[in-house]
Amino acid sequence: MLKYQSQKIALAYFAVAMALFVIQVTMGLVIGYIYLSPNTLAEVLPFNILRMLHTNSLIVWLITGFFGIAYFIIPDEAEREIASPQLAWLQLIILVVGTLGAVLTYVFNIAHGNWLLGMQGREFLEQPLWVKVGIVVAALIFLYNVTMTYLKGRKTAVANVLLLGLWGLALFFLFAFYNPSNLALDKMFWWWVVHLWVEGVWELIMAGVLAYLMLKLTGVDREMVEKWIYGLAALSLFTGILGTGHHYYWIGTPAYWQWIGSVFSAMEVIPFFAMVLFVFTMVWKGQREHPNQAALLWALGCAVLAFFGAGIWGFLHTLSPVNYWTHGTQVTMSHGHLAFFGAYVSLNLAFITYAMPYLTNRQPYNQVLNMISFWVMAGGITFMTFALTFAGAVQTHLQRVRGENFMDVQDELYLFFVMREIAGIILVIGVALYLYSIFVPRKEEIIAPAAKQPAE
Amino acid sequence: MQTKSAARNIFFGGTIFFFVVFVGLVAHSYSYIVNTSTPPLKDSVVRGKLVWEENACINCHTLLGEGAYYAPELGNVWKRYLANNDNDPKAAREAIITWIKSMPTGVEGRRQMPHFDLTDQQLNDLVDFFEWTSKINTQNWPPNLAG
C-alpha cells in the first residue's frame, strides 16, 4: 500500500519517538508525584535530573516524529523515492546514540563540568556539547536527504511549507551553541531557539502536516488546500516573530518590548484559529469518506486543542500588565502543557495514526480504541490544565500580590497538585491505549467502527 | 493559481520584513543590555554562571521567571537575603552559602535541594552571579521580594 518503499523508514522513526514518549510521560508522573511526596528519590535522582528527562525526551521525540513524518510525506509529494535511505538510517542511529548519551550523562552526572562531555545547564538545552554537535550532524543529513528528494521531484506548496519549517528548525537550533556570559543576552538568544521553534517554524511544520492530512483524509482539491497553506504560514510568522517580544518583558531588555510583545503575541491566537477554520472547512468541503476516521479525529483534535492551549491559554497571560503578575507561576505551566499536547503531540499522534496502516500494509485497524485513547488523553490533559490554571491563579494572588513566601504558597497548592497527578494518570492510561491501538494490529476489530465499508 | 502565488509572495515578503525588523530590535536590545540594563561583568560572575549551569539549578528554580517552578525564584535571592540580614552584604553572602551547604535537610514532607560538592570559591562565585543578576534592570519584576 505504500507508494514508495523508502517511506517505510518512517516506521523506525515513529517507533523511537513512541519509546521516548513513554519515557516522557513516565517521568512526568514521577515528578508530579514528587510534588506530593517530596522526599521521593530526593537523594538518588533529584527533581532537576528527572525534569530534564521529562522535557528533553519530549523535545527529542517530537522532532524525531517530525523527521519520520517528513520521510513519509516528502516522497509522496515529490513523487519519488527518498534520495538516500541509508543516510536516513544513519541519521536515526546518530539521534538514538545522542539521546542515550544525554540520558546517561544526566542520570550518572558523567564528566561533570567538562565543556565537551558534561551536561550544559540552559533549560531544555542541557545536552552535552557532543550531543548537540550530533544533533546538528543528524539535522544536516536530514536536510540534505529531504531537500535532494524534493529538488529532483514535484514541488508542491505542502512540501514547500513543511521543508521551510524543518530548515528553520535546524537553523535556529544553532543558537543553542551561543551562550553569552551576560545572563540577559543569554536569555534573549535562548528564546531564538525556544520561541522561534514552537511559536515560529514549528507552526509551519504543523500547517504543512495538517494540510497533507486534509488532502488525504477529506479528498478536497489540492488547489483549495494550497490556497490556505501560505495564508496559515504567513499568519504564523507575521505574529510569531515579533511575538517573541512577550519573552522580553522582564529579562533586562528595553521596555518597548512590552508593547511589541503584547500586540503581536496577542495576535498569535489568529493562526491557531485559522488552523481550526482550515481543518473544519476542509472536512465540510471534502467529498471522500476516508476509512481512517481515527486519524481525522486526531487531526481535528490537534487544531482545536492547539487553539485552546497555544492560542487561548497563551493569550491568557501574554499581555505585559497581566504577565507582570503571572510570569513564572503555575499559569505558565498550565499553558505549556496544553500547548505542547494540543499542537505538537497531537500532530505527531494524528500522523502516526494515519500512516501506520500504510506502514504495516493493512486496512485501518483498532480505530475505536484509538479514538477512545484520544478522548482519554484529551480529557486528562484538559483536567491537568484546569488544575494548574487554578493553582496559578491562587499562587499569583498569594505570592505576587500579597508577597507571601514561595514555599508557604506551594503548600497551599497541594490539592491542585493532587488533581494534576490524577490527570497525569488518566493521560498515561490514554497513552497506553494509543500505543496498543497502533502497535498491536488485530485481525478483527475489538470494537468495529460504525462506518460503512471503505471505498475501493 | 494567481491567488496562490500572491499568497506565497506575501508570505515570503512579509516574513522577511518582520524578521528584519526583529533582528534590528534585537540588535538595539543587545547594546541596551550591554550598556544600560546590566552591570559590568566581573570574572567571578562569569564563573558563577557556569556553576549555575553545570549543576542544572534551572531545573528546580526559576531565574527571572524562567525555569522550573519547583523551587523559589533566584533572580532576586540576593535582595531577599539582604533584606533578611539588615542590608549587610557580608552576612547575606554567608547566609546563602550556609543554606546551600546544609542541603539536603532530609526533613520529611519538605522539598529537598540536593547536596552539591562546591568549593568555597565556587560558592562565592555563585553568590556574585546572584548579586549581579539582582541588579539587572528588569522593569521592576518581580513585584515583590517573594519573587
Side-chain angles (χ1 to χ4, degrees):
Chain A
M1 290 223 281
L2 275 179
K3 254 203 214 144
Y4 302 95
Q5 278 317 301
S6 54
Q7 286 177 294
K8 187 119 200 177
I9 189 88
L11 184 59
Y13 278 78
F14 295 154
V16 171
M18 290 299 97
L20 288 169
F21 185 27
V22 171
I23 296 178
Q24 182 227 327
V25 293
T26 310
M27 291 302 138
L29 273 191
V30 174
I31 54 181
Y33 183 72
I34 292 176
Y35 264 86
L36 307 179
S37 174
N39 305 81
T40 313
L41 295 176
E43 290 177 35
V44 190
L45 269 181
F47 183 92
N48 60 341
I49 305 296
L50 293 164
R51 181 179 185 266
M52 286 196 284
L53 296 177
H54 177 60
T55 57
N56 280 233
S57 54
L58 167 70
I59 296 163
V60 176
W61 92 250
L62 292 178
I63 294 174
T64 307
F66 291 159
F67 290 148
I69 291 172
Y71 279 132
F72 191 98
I73 292 183
I74 295 294
D76 195 30
E77 289 290 294
E79 295 185 321
R80 56 187 302 116
E81 297 285 348
I82 290 169
S84 166
Q86 289 84 0
L87 278 180
W89 277 107
L90 176 67
Q91 181 207 342
L92 183 61
I93 292 167
I94 294 173
L95 283 172
V96 170
V97 170
T99 305
L100 290 176
V103 169
L104 293 175
T105 306
Y106 299 161
V107 170
F108 298 103
N109 201 6
I110 296 168
H112 179 90
N114 185 293
W115 65 276
L116 179 63
L117 304 175
M119 149 185 101
Q120 303 189 315
R122 291 157 98 199
E123 196 186 8
F124 311 138
L125 304 177
E126 298 94 347
Q127 308 81 30
L129 187 59
W130 71 268
V131 174
K132 286 198 179 80
V133 173
I135 293 173
V136 170
V137 172
L140 285 175
I141 293 174
F142 170 78
L143 290 176
Y144 168 81
N145 217 354
V146 288
T147 308
M148 290 312 283
T149 313
Y150 164 84
L151 286 177
K152 286 182 194 154
R154 183 176 63 147
K155 293 163 192 65
T156 65
V158 172
N160 284 346
V161 171
L162 179 63
L163 275 189
L164 201 65
L166 291 160
W167 270 90
L169 186 157
L171 284 177
F172 286 115
F173 181 71
L174 296 178
F175 284 92
F177 293 91
Y178 178 55
N179 181 8
S181 295
N182 183 311
L183 180 71
L185 292 179
D186 166 358
K187 284 176 174 290
M188 185 164 73
F189 286 104
W190 180 78
W191 285 111
W192 280 50
V193 185
V194 179
H195 175 95
L196 291 179
W197 267 15
V198 298
E199 292 166 70
V201 292
W202 285 27
E203 283 183 47
L204 301 190
I205 298 174
M206 183 172 165
V209 174
L210 284 180
Y212 178 86
L213 285 175
M214 289 304 116
L215 214 49
K216 299 291 164 178
L217 292 174
T218 70
V220 284
D221 288 343
R222 182 175 283 275
E223 240 177 274
M224 178 131 53
V225 168
E226 292 188 339
K227 262 182 207 159
W228 276 84
I229 191 165
Y230 285 115
L232 295 175
L235 288 174
S236 299
L237 293 191
F238 293 2
T239 60
I241 292 173
L242 286 177
T244 315
H246 68 174
H247 303 293
Y248 292 172
Y249 296 159
W250 331 114
I251 61 169
T253 27
Y256 56 67
W257 285 110
Q258 291 179 36
W259 277 100
I260 298 167
S262 296
V263 169
F264 281 89
S265 69
M267 293 193 290
E268 282 184 39
V269 184
I270 299 170
F272 286 106
F273 185 65
M275 286 199 224
V276 175
L277 284 182
F278 168 63
V279 291
F280 281 96
T281 308
M282 293 304 108
V283 171
W284 173 52
K285 298 238 166 154
Q287 304 298 322
R288 191 189 317 161
E289 185 92 27
H290 192 278
N292 198 334
Q293 297 170 46
L296 188 61
L297 175 66
W298 273 106
L300 298 177
C302 168
V304 171
L305 289 171
F307 168 67
F308 280 102
I312 301 294
W313 253 259
F315 178 75
L316 209 63
H317 57 138
T318 201
L319 300 175
S320 66
V322 176
N323 192 262
Y324 182 73
W325 301 99
T326 60
H327 177 53
T329 64
Q330 298 295 322
V331 173
T332 314
M333 184 97 141
S334 67
H335 158 63
H337 280 81
L338 189 59
F340 261 101
F341 180 85
Y344 303 119
V345 172
S346 299
L347 186 72
N348 267 294
L349 299 186
F351 198 86
I352 293 173
T353 300
Y354 167 76
M356 279 310 275
Y358 295 104
L359 293 168
T360 54
N361 199 16
R362 19 176 114 230
Q363 290 292 320
Y365 53 85
N366 290 345
Q367 289 208 51
V368 173
L369 192 64
N370 190 319
M371 289 192 260
I372 292 171
S373 83
F374 167 81
W375 291 109
V376 174
M377 277 192 244
I381 200 79
T382 306
F383 182 25
M384 179 184 294
T385 303
F386 279 108
L388 293 174
T389 307
F390 287 114
V394 173
Q395 183 186 6
T396 300
H397 181 71
L398 294 181
Q399 185 185 322
R400 292 290 166 66
V401 179
R402 299 178 50 153
E404 288 177 27
N405 177 291
F406 176 89
M407 288 310 303
D408 296 340
V409 175
Q410 292 292 306
D411 289 341
E412 300 285 326
L413 305 180
Y414 190 82
L415 182 64
F416 296 111
F417 292 141
V418 173
M419 293 196 278
R420 185 263 305 275
E421 186 67 356
I422 294 170
I425 293 168
I426 296 172
L427 181 85
V428 171
I429 292 171
V431 174
L433 292 176
Y434 178 84
L435 293 176
Y436 183 90
S437 77
I438 59 161
F439 282 127
V440 191
R442 295 166 64 97
K443 285 217 180 75
E444 281 169 46
E445 295 278 34
I446 300 176
I447 311 169
K452 27 194 159 337
Q453 286 302 304
E456 332 172 75
Chain B
M1 273 331 265
Q2 215 162 15
T3 42
K4 196 183 103 187
S5 61
R8 188 187 55 207
N9 294 341
I10 291 169
F11 164 63
F12 280 114
T15 299
I16 292 168
F17 170 76
F18 282 110
F19 195 69
V20 167
V21 171
F22 178 64
V23 169
L25 290 170
V26 166
H28 174 263
S29 301
Y30 187 104
S31 78
Y32 174 85
I33 288 170
V34 173
N35 299 315
T36 312
S37 67
T38 62
L41 278 174
K42 291 185 296 178
D43 286 347
S44 65
V45 174
V46 174
R47 288 195 305 267
K49 181 167 182 276
L50 211 58
V51 174
W52 167 265
E53 289 171 359
E54 284 169 3
N55 293 288
C57 309
I58 197 85
N59 276 290
C60 285
H61 293 277
T62 49
L63 191 64
L64 304 186
E66 294 161 6
Y69 317 105
Y70 189 64
E73 164 68 33
L74 295 184
N76 64 348
V77 69
W78 175 252
K79 290 182 183 166
R80 209 153 51 228
Y81 273 74
L82 266 186
N84 288 341
N85 289 279
D86 304 322
N87 284 319
D88 175 2
K90 232 178 160 178
R93 174 174 298 265
E94 280 306 307
I96 294 175
I97 289 175
T98 311
W99 169 271
I100 296 173
K101 278 182 166 174
S102 62
M103 296 294 119
T105 62
V107 175
E108 199 58 36
R110 294 293 294 172
R111 294 184 188 174
Q112 299 296 312
M113 177 163 149
H115 171 75
F116 294 106
D117 277 315
L118 299 176
T119 63
D120 283 343
Q121 157 137 39
Q122 285 177 315
L123 287 162
N124 278 295
D125 290 345
L126 187 60
V127 176
D128 282 349
F129 172 63
F130 289 146
E131 183 180 353
W132 181 88
T133 302
S134 76
K135 289 175 182 157
I136 297 175
N137 175 1
T138 56
Q139 316 290 334
N140 292 320
W141 192 92
N144 56 53
L145 278 181

